[in-house]
Amino acid sequence: MANPSLKDEDLYQTLREEGMSKEKAARISNAKANPDMHPSQKGGKAPPYEDWTKADLYARAQEIGIDGRSKMSKPELIDALRTH
């Protein structure tokens, strides 16, 4: 019996036979069947931290909860973001 929530049942079954979980196989098979999604393409590229302003680096550090960010220089913020 076909599963109506799967857009590409054959791909789903192939992925399951390769050992993927039901959830992952369903996500991949449905994404590949959707013409608006491109699961094999990489996402966008963010500019390197060196091109960011200190204010932008500080805001990002605040978003992810880096302690001591208010006293950090731009190079220290970059290092903290890369090693967090």
Side-chain angles (χ1 to χ4, degrees), residues 24-35:
K24 186 172 184 178
R27 279 195 315 270
I28 292 171
S29 66
N30 288 343
K32 287 201 179 253
N34 183 340

Side-chain angles (χ1 to χ4, degrees), residues 13-74:
Q13 290 302 331
T14 300
L15 295 172
R16 287 290 292 143
E17 289 169 8
E18 291 176 3
M20 288 190 187
S21 69
K22 291 178 183 178
E23 293 81 9
K24 186 172 184 178
R27 279 195 315 270
I28 292 171
S29 66
N30 288 343
K32 287 201 179 253
N34 183 340
D36 295 331
M37 295 181 79
H38 307 285
S40 62
Q41 295 178 352
K42 288 186 175 184
K45 298 253 183 196
Y49 284 139
E50 288 77 12
D51 293 347
W52 291 31
T53 65
K54 184 176 178 186
D56 290 338
L57 292 167
Y58 178 85
R60 181 67 181 134
Q62 188 174 23
E63 285 175 21
I64 60 177
I66 294 176
D67 292 329
R69 62 188 172 269
S70 64
K71 295 182 174 130
M72 291 183 185
S73 66
K74 183 175 177 176

